[in-house]
Amino acid sequence: MSYLNPYSRLQTIHSAQEILELAQNRSYKLSMKSSLRLPRLERTRIREIARVQEFAKQVKSRLRDAVEGFPTLEKLHPFYYELTDLIVGVDKLKQALGAVYNSTRPIENIADRHIAQLKTATDIREMKRARRAAKGRISSIVRATAGNLDLMIEARRVLVRLPGVNTTIPTIVCAGFPNVGKSTLVRAVSTAEPEIAYYPFTTKEVIVGHLTVGNQTIQIVDTPGILDRPMSQRNEIEKKAIAAVKYLANVILFMLDASETCGWTFEEQMNLYSEVKRSFPLTPTVIVLNKVDITPSDHLAVARAKLPGAFEIVASSGTGVAELMQEALSEVDLEESTPTSSPD
Ligand SMILES: Nc1nc2c(ncn2[C@@H]2O[C@H](COP(=O)(O)OP(=O)(O)O)[C@@H](O)[C@H]2O)c(=O)[nH]1
Ligand SMILES: [Mg+2]
């Protein structure tokens, strides 16, 4: 499913130095089919023109390919747009892409001007000087945009590894403290082996699973490092990541572990629940009490009193999970959940 990441097909981007070396190699390896019957001056003219043309062509195409490999940022689904913004900065990335693309126009002009000189040159030294001048000026332009290429290289390095999520099907996002059983639930309900990915800002794995309920395929995503701890402990990046998740979640499944074997008290978990509710005021939330197999009955009684109507499950054995998925799906407004299929 990693192909669902809009950056997954982004090819390797070359640095300024690499682009110049590649172009230089190509322009020297040109095999000339020039007729031996031509005088030396004319043979040189043909060769030097071809070298300038090839050098300029190689540089331009590598710069353009680097820019065109990126998806159009404005067309990205807001989930990926927000993640791009928080990881790289949309403005910075756009500026770099624009600058690299714009540098290809003067390269064309320089090549044209020096080729015109080569056409009228009257001796071999003049020709070599014109070829060297053309390559020198083109190289300066490439070097001037080296910082932009480096930014694109770094952006690609992190963006290609974003988790691939389907932004066109209903999505259940799991929230709750670490060790309450979120990943166990995702694995339990997924029809195929769930995909494991990482957000660049956390080392914990993100699990993306898929399941079919009736004739509807839905996606279920774990959110490590995002919705698993109190707001006061979150940094700016994590707060922005929550904003990105907003664009993805059709339903939030908030999981609590009343057995407290996860290491957090029930009260701490209730506080996180209130915070998540506040962060996602418009998203329907389904509350789940997991690990009821090992929850002492007095704890369970407290939890039931606090959260009447919560789903009780055992994620590790699958008990109650099918009913939970039915409920989660019924909370999804199917028409609203498929914005990309609307005609506008
Ligand atoms: N007894 C019991 N253990 C569970 C249940 N669900 C998950 N666990 C265990 O709880 C631990 C944490 O689960 P995990 O899915 O990694 O939690 P996450 O951090 O929220 O993703 C694991 O050792 C699971 O095997 C359950 O329903 N009952
Ligand atoms: Mg987990």
Side-chain angles (χ1 to χ4, degrees), residues 178-179 181-184 205 207 222 224:
N179 296 320
K182 301 181 298 296
S183 303
T184 305
E205 54 188 29
I207 300 182
D222 192 3

Side-chain angles (χ1 to χ4, degrees), residues 1-2 5 80 160-165 187 194-200 202-209 221-224:
M1 298 290 168
S2 59
N5 169 7
Y80 284 107
V160 287
R161 297 198 309 231
L162 281 179
V165 299
R187 290 183 194 284
E195 180 175 348
I196 294 173
Y198 295 87
Y199 288 113
T202 140
T203 53
K204 294 172 220 155
E205 54 188 29
V206 181
I207 300 182
V208 182
V221 186
D222 192 3
T223 51

Side-chain angles (χ1 to χ4, degrees), residues 177-184 222 290-291 293-294 313-316:
F177 271 108
N179 296 320
V180 296
K182 301 181 298 296
S183 303
T184 305
D222 192 3
N290 188 32
K291 305 193 192 176
D293 56 328
I294 54 164
I313 67 164
V314 182
S316 51

Side-chain angles (χ1 to χ4, degrees), residues 121-134:
T122 50
D123 69 69
I124 288 178
R125 283 218 334 262
E126 192 186 342
M127 288 176 186
K128 296 204 162 160
R129 219 182 305 125
R131 182 250 298 155
R132 255 185 251 122

